[in-house]
Each structure stands twice: as structure tokens, then as C-alpha cells.
Amino acid sequence: MIFPSDTYKRMTSSPGGMKFIHEVIARSIKLKNEGKEIVDCGLGESSHGLLAKVIEAGMEALKKDEFYYVRPTQGLVELRAEISRQISKEFQLSVDSENVIVTPGAELGIDLVFKSILNPGDEVVIFDPFFIPFATIAITYGARPVFVDTFENGFLPSLKLMKKKISKKTKIIILNSPNNPTGRVFNKKLVEEITFFAKERKIYLLSDETYCFFDFEKIFFSPFNIYPEGTIVVRSFSKQYSMMGYKVGYIVSSTKIANYIKALQIPGWAAPRISSLMALAALKSSNPQSVIENYESKRDNLYKGLNEFGLVDYLPEGAFYFYLKCPSGNSLNFALELADKGLLVIPAFSTKNTHVRLSYGAIEKEQIPKILDAIESVL
Amino acid sequence: MIFPSDTYKRMTSSPGGMKFIHEVIARSIKLKNEGKEIVDCGLGESSHGLLAKVIEAGMEALKKDEFYYVRPTQGLVELRAEISRQISKEFQLSVDSENVIVTPGAELGIDLVFKSILNPGDEVVIFDPFFIPFATIAITYGARPVFVDTFENGFLPSLKLMKKKISKKTKIIILNSPNNPTGRVFNKKLVEEITFFAKERKIYLLSDETYCFFDFEKIFFSPFNIYPEGTIVVRSFSKQYSMMGYKVGYIVSSTKIANYIKALQIPGWAAPRISSLMALAALKSSNPQSVIENYESKRDNLYKGLNEFGLVDYLPEGAFYFYLKCPSGNSLNFALELADKGLLVIPAFSTKNTHVRLSYGAIEKEQIPKILDAIESVL
């Protein structure tokens, strides 16, 4: 009797490898249940834990029995004010708190943005490899992801290749730097070129800046700096402040765009209250320098081994991922083999099936030799 | 340059009075900022606060620095096991934890259900008056809300009127009992009639049971009892456990339906981790009898006054709302007048514009005279 929706059919056949993820994770859970130790380089999680001030803010909220909904739906007034203050400072632009919309995580923020902009038949330009939900959510709203290959360009966007994929139907170009899954950070010149092009053509830019804190070489540059009227910035508290379990992110955009998005944010789309209060405390504190140095050091140690194996030929400038070429050319098989050896990585993140993503966000330095051993054993 | 989506246009023209809500709330905020005291009978919030054990579970999660994502996406294994245990007992049916999907609030649960089932052109039968997001979310996915009037029937569904609205395109019938905004609870016979009809015609039932705890006369009956293969139950921790700010709800359905829904639940649709741990503690505790008695007593006191004014002619058996007939016949004007007198209520919740919803969930008994005074002053 069940008759899944067309949306269901579109979403479950979305490119990027969502099905592979389920298969590999199921295998790793099975192995764990059989008593095998698995080093988890699967999910995109950071490991440095909550700041003391953030835990304190959470405790305070519980002590005060803060049980009501966040209101207004677009976020606590104080939180949006603090975000707008910091964004204004960072971008040297005056960003009002009315231009900030707090969401229950960045992924639902992207959903809200696409819902307010995309029509069936619209095209969304995505650089391949890519964070899978970009394609899945665009498809939800009937739009078509148009992929620009970056495999031959060291996983950096090529303006020339991109221009070939632009049509009258192009509504959004997605920038995701520092990049998930490649760890690449797009330099200022590159971002400028894409942004000026988008501006000229009146195409929106969705700039997913979830990993902007993880920018080891200080390369990160946001298109919002030069195209605030058409750029929609999405950020998250999850990675920088290790607040994955608290589900709070935000959107920054022009007044015009923000008003459209707000009108669609029904109450269910509000962020949790305790998370909002913790996010405010996070913004008022700041991560110590040692946090980022720890990730950088994990990166350097892993790079040495992975480069020797010939699986990666560039040093990722940001995020906390390595995107590894599979010797067999089949990423699902490679990932399943690695799971059997005690290492969880995620295949694909691409229309191609040639690479796996290794996340070092949540691992300890002591686990690096185990990771390299597991990989070596299947080469 | 902005070009809002068709989804935007559909959602913002959704029936039920969403625009009115914004207008009335804006007025009340303006008045508050001018120093006026406003009794807030607007949002659907309960006021009894968190249980001690629930606060403790939250503190514990913070102390243990529980910062990771919930995994799997469909919810913490222990929480789903406890829900399935309690639901199995309540319904005298064996419900497996795989049939339970935890969501970041019930409203996003409804979104997920509609996304997995509805196609453009499908019809969703909704008894009018209604919880506005039912229509808004159905419209998001291109479906058409088909309203069955209950105004002439004391706000109880009429099977006869409903049958007239059923077509080959009817995909879902929505039951919401105890009802928001009317406070009515549908008796067993009525629920059975609708359910047997739906079962025979192979139409899904979405049973929104958010208020099942607020059932003063012990009338509540769930269609899941007799039609588990086609009923999708949505519940929330928000009202019963006063966990509005924590954003956690759940869906119970058949294995077949649950598998469809799970396949669409991308990671962004997971509930917050701290809220999930608090929800588990809530389920293992139980609300003291005095909680529900307090709401019942507020209902009784308000009913006396409102009935004398001639604004309501039935005693709501559940939820924490009164649905009041506006003497002028214009609910927006009535609500704006009341706001000026210091009382926030919400207009419409219907295709008609004749009633307002008064929520007594979050008010104290001491405020009741003020509420009645404000109303009397505009009659």
C-alpha cells in the first residue's frame, strides 16, 4: 500500500554515495558488535569538546529551567546581536542582526535556503567532489545539481570549466571552503573570480563556511566580503566549538534574502534554546590556539604516511579531512576492506566512485599509527 | 534580483492565518517595548517546567561533555528502545524500536512524513479549524489541503462531511486529538469510524498526539490501536514534559513506512543529543498527577468566565486551548484589540476568520482575572 513520494525517489537516488555510507557504517557496526575495535574516521566530527564557559552556560540554562521555545523563531535576540557584531567586524561590513537567522544546525539552514530560492528545473552548480546534502536537498526541491569536475585540478574549482556549466537556469553556485571532503581551501583570487562572475550574472552564491576555523594556512576568504547582496553564508557551531550534539548553526544574508528565508521558517525550524544560550557563550569566549594546532599536527602526521602510500598528493590546507584515491579504483570496496581491518572511512562524496574520505576530526594522535597500519594492510 | 521559489509563494499564502500571527505578535512586542504588561496566551507552551530527573540528565550530559552527534540519525538506541517499550504497553501491540524515529521536534517529524509520502496533486484531508503547519507543510510538497468543516458540529469531525471530501487523490487524513486549537478530544467511536474508513480505502492516517497527556476526561483514543499498518503517530516531549526548548519528538509507524521515512532522514534531521538524553530520563520518570490537575483547574476557571461572555459553549476536554468566537466576526481585529488591552491571543487557525485561540498552557492561575478583564473590556 505504501507509495513513496517522488521526493523520496529523487532523494534516495541522489548522487554522492549516500547509499554507500549506509552500507559501510552497517558493516562497521556489525564488526563492532562482534568485538572488533574500529578507529572511527567516518563522521565529520571534531574532538576537542566543549569550552568550559559553554558547559557553564548550559548548566546555567538548566538551573534556571529555561524550558520555553526560542522566540522569535529566527533566533534569540542576544545571540543574533552577537553574531552580527562579530560578522560585521570580520567582514568590515555593517551586518544587522536582522540579517542573521539561527537554525537547528547548518544542514537545516541549507534546506531553508534552497526551499526559499529553488524551483523545479533550476540548476545548482556544485564542485565535484562535494558534501552530499547539497545535491540531496537541491533535488528535494526539484532542482538539478550540475557538477563541475575538480579531480583534474587538484580539487580546486576551475573557472573555465565552471563557465561551461552555467546556463540561464543556473540559480545558485555553491562554494564550500575549507572543503568537505577534500580539505582544500580556496584562495582569495579564486574566490574573487567566481564571485565577480556570479555577481555579473546575478547568480546566488551559497557559501558553506562550516570549517572556516580549520584554516591552517590562513587562506580562507569569504565571497560575502565582495558580494554581500547575493551571497548566503551558512555557518555552524558544531565543528569550531565541538557542539555537534547541540544542533545550532546560522545563515547570514542580505536583508532582502533574509526576509524571504525568515518568512518560511515555521516554528519547528527554530534552534534549541539551551544550544542557543551555549552558542552565545561560545562566541563570547574563543578557542585557545592549541585547539587548532592539535588538528594541524594530526594532519601533518597523517599526511606523511598517506603521501608515502601514494594515496594523496597535496597537503589539505583546512577542514579535517583527507580525500584518498583508492588503488583499486572502487571506493566502496576499499572502504569495506578497511572496515574489516578496523578503520571506518566513507566512500565517494562524488559522482565518481574512486576516492574515500578519511576524517581525522575525532581521532586522537595515538590512533594515527593504527590508521596507517590498517591502510597499509589492504594496499 | 531575488526570485523567491514557488514553494515560498505556496507556503506564504498557506491558509490558517500565519500572516495574522505575525501581525498580532508584532503588535504585542511593540506594546511590551512601550512598557505595557501583556498576558501571553499566544504560543502553545506548557508551564510546569522540567522534571528534576530531566534537569539532572541534562546536567549529567554536560558534565560528561556529550558533544557528539546523535547516531544513528533516527535516534539514540536507548531512547528508541524505551519509547517502543512504552508504546507497546500503551497500545498492547508489539512495537519494535526500529519503528520509532526520533526527530528534532514533532513539527519537523510531520515535515519528514509528508516529504516521504506526498506528491504534487495529492490531497490531505484536514479538519477545520486546524494546526496551521499541517496545511503549510503539505503545500510545501505540492499537495493540496482539503478542509472538512467542523464549525457546525461542535468542532468534532463529521464522518458524513468527511466522506464528501474524499477522492482518489486523498493520500492522508489528519487526526489531531486532543485538538489544537479547539481543545476537543475525539471519542473512541468517532476515531474508530474514521479509522475503519481510512483502512478500507487504504488512506494513511497522520495522528498528531502532541497533547495526549492533556486529556482531562480520559477520552483520548489513538487510531494506531486499530490501524497500525497505515497510521503514523507523531508525538512530542515538548508539552507533556515542558521540553519546548529542547526540540525532541518522535514518529511511530509500521516497519514499511518507518523504512521510507528513515531513508529520508539526512543527518540534519537528527534530534539534539542532550535533548535525547533528557527525553530518556523523562520517559523513565513520570509527571505527578498534580501537573495535569493544575491545567484542569485553569481550564475550569477560564471556562466559567468565557462561557458567561458567550464566547465558548463547550468545555474543552483536552489540550490547553480555548477557541473563542469573536463577537465582531473578525478575529484579527479582535486579537489586535485584545493586545491593546494587554492580552495576546492568536487569530484564525482556520480557513475562516471568526475565532481566536487562547492558550492557557503557560499562564498562572493568578492571571485568569486579568485575562477575563481584558476580554470583558472589548466586548
Side-chain angles (χ1 to χ4, degrees), chain A residues 90-91 191 195 207 209 220-226 231 233 235:
Chain A
E90 178 183 339
F91 290 136
V191 173
T195 308
S207 184
E209 303 177 0
F220 170 71
F221 182 78
S222 173
F224 195 78
N225 279 300
I226 42 178
T231 299
V233 170
R235 289 193 181 182

Side-chain angles (χ1 to χ4, degrees), chain B residues 268-334:
Chain B
W269 240 266
R273 188 182 191 89
I274 190 167
S275 310
S276 305
L277 292 165
M278 290 168 74
L280 180 59
L283 282 181
K284 288 183 171 174
S285 318
S286 70
N287 271 312
Q289 182 61 20
S290 61
V291 164
I292 189 75
E293 282 165 4
N294 182 261
Y295 288 91
E296 197 176 350
S297 150
K298 285 194 280 185
R299 176 197 66 164
D300 293 343
N301 286 324
L302 269 166
Y303 178 68
K304 211 170 154 287
L306 297 170
N307 179 257
E308 273 171 22
F309 296 149
L311 298 183
V312 68
D313 53 13
Y314 67 95
L315 183 68
E317 303 91 355
F320 40 63
Y321 302 114
F322 281 97
Y323 196 56
L324 305 176
K325 197 179 174 78
C326 308
S328 64
N330 184 315
S331 75
L332 178 60
N333 288 351
F334 191 61

Side-chain angles (χ1 to χ4, degrees), chain A residues 1-9 11-12 18 22 32 40 43-50 54-55 57-63 65-71 104 107-108 111 114-120 133 136-137 140-141 171 202-204 227 229-230 236 238-239 241-247 256-257 259-275 278 362 364, chain B residues 1-9 11-12 18 22 32 40 43-50 54-55 57-63 65-71 104 107-108 111 114-120 133 136-137 140-141 171 202-204 227 229-230 236 238-239 241-247 256-257 259-275 278 362 364:
Chain A
M1 158 189 157
I2 183 97
F3 194 93
S5 63
D6 297 343
T7 313
Y8 172 91
K9 289 174 200 161
M11 283 180 75
T12 51
M18 193 66 91
H22 290 145
K32 256 188 210 166
D40 191 342
L43 290 192
E45 294 183 306
S46 53
S47 61
H48 55 288
L50 302 177
V54 171
I55 293 180
M59 295 271 189
E60 203 56 36
L62 286 168
K63 269 182 214 154
D65 199 1
E66 295 264 14
F67 60 84
Y68 286 113
Y69 287 119
V70 158
R71 61 182 91 170
E107 208 170 310
L108 290 186
D111 196 314
F114 282 6
K115 197 196 295 248
S116 69
I117 293 184
L118 291 177
N119 275 330
T136 312
I137 301 171
T140 304
Y141 297 108
K171 191 63 90 44
K202 300 193 173 178
I203 296 168
Y204 299 112
Y227 181 35
E229 71 278 23
S236 172
S238 293
K239 320 287 174 174
Y241 298 104
S242 250
M243 287 179 65
M244 280 82 61
Y246 294 88
K247 306 274 314 155
K256 213 169 174 181
I257 297 175
N259 285 341
Y260 281 107
I261 297 172
K262 273 184 228 170
L264 296 198
Q265 196 184 20
I266 57 175
W269 240 267
R273 188 182 191 92
I274 190 167
S275 310
M278 291 168 74
E364 302 303 322
Chain B
M1 160 188 154
I2 185 99
F3 194 94
S5 63
D6 298 341
T7 313
Y8 173 91
K9 289 174 202 161
M11 284 179 75
T12 51
M18 193 67 91
H22 292 143
K32 255 187 209 167
D40 190 342
L43 290 193
E45 293 183 305
S46 53
S47 62
H48 54 287
L50 302 177
V54 171
I55 295 181
M59 294 274 188
E60 202 57 34
L62 288 167
K63 270 183 212 153
D65 199 1
E66 294 264 14
F67 59 83
Y68 287 112
Y69 286 119
V70 158
R71 63 182 90 169
E107 208 170 310
L108 290 186
D111 196 315
F114 283 6
K115 196 196 295 249
S116 68
I117 293 184
L118 292 176
N119 275 330
T136 313
I137 301 170
T140 305
Y141 297 108
K171 192 63 92 43
K202 299 193 172 179
I203 295 168
Y204 299 112
Y227 182 36
E229 71 277 24
S236 171
S238 294
K239 319 287 172 172
Y241 299 105
S242 250
M243 288 178 65
M244 280 82 62
Y246 294 86
K247 305 273 315 153
K256 213 168 173 182
I257 297 174
N259 285 340
Y260 281 107
I261 298 171
K262 274 182 225 170
L264 296 198
Q265 196 184 20
I266 57 175
W269 240 266
R273 188 182 191 89
I274 190 167
S275 310
M278 290 168 74
E364 302 302 323

Side-chain angles (χ1 to χ4, degrees), chain B residues 77-96:
Chain B
V77 171
E78 310 85 307
L79 176 59
R80 287 158 65 219
E82 185 60 30
I83 293 171
S84 75
R85 203 166 7 247
Q86 297 204 9
I87 287 279
S88 296
K89 202 177 150 196
E90 178 183 339
F91 290 137
Q92 302 281 308
L93 278 168
S94 169
V95 174
D96 191 83

